[in-house]
Amino acid sequence: VPLIVLSLAFIATGLGVFFGRRFALWLALLLFPFGMVEVLATLAYSVRVAGWYSNNVVAVFNASLILYAAGLAISLLLVIDKRKELK
């Protein structure tokens, strides 16, 4: 249930950014640490259980988690950069 709530909050943040609302900045700042903890915990568990490259599926999964973390950080920086344009 907590991951569903986190996902819905991220969707609300995306909609807020899309419509240019100020609450999106605060939601992004609030949710960023939770998103990074989720990604890093999942990556640590995956590496501990299956290793970095035990097969192609695991390698793609681990790479997707790293790309997700990078996208999360870039998204936060973009929202912070546009904070003056949000109403």
Side-chain angles (χ1 to χ4, degrees), residues 1-16 23 27 31:
V1 174
L3 289 179
I4 294 172
V5 173
L6 187 62
S7 299
L8 291 175
F10 273 120
I11 290 171
T13 303
L15 287 173
F23 77 88
L27 269 179
L31 294 176

Side-chain angles (χ1 to χ4, degrees), residues 43-55 57-59 61-62:
L43 183 62
Y45 182 76
S46 173
V47 169
R48 189 170 0 129
V49 170
W52 280 102
Y53 190 74
S54 58
N55 59 36
V57 174
V58 172
F61 179 71
N62 289 341

Side-chain angles (χ1 to χ4, degrees), residues 10-81:
F10 273 120
I11 290 171
T13 303
L15 287 173
V17 170
F18 182 72
F19 291 117
R21 301 292 179 195
R22 171 78 66 190
F23 77 88
L25 171 67
W26 299 110
L27 269 179
L29 290 172
L30 177 75
L31 294 176
F32 176 75
F34 293 113
M36 288 303 284
V37 166
E38 173 192 355
V39 168
L40 294 176
T42 306
L43 183 62
Y45 182 76
S46 173
V47 169
R48 189 170 0 129
V49 170
W52 280 102
Y53 190 74
S54 58
N55 59 36
N56 289 336
V57 174
V58 172
V60 169
F61 179 71
N62 289 341
S64 71
L65 287 174
I66 293 169
L67 289 175
Y68 182 78
L72 196 61
I74 290 169
S75 298
L76 178 68
L77 292 176
L78 289 174
V79 169
I80 289 173
D81 184 50

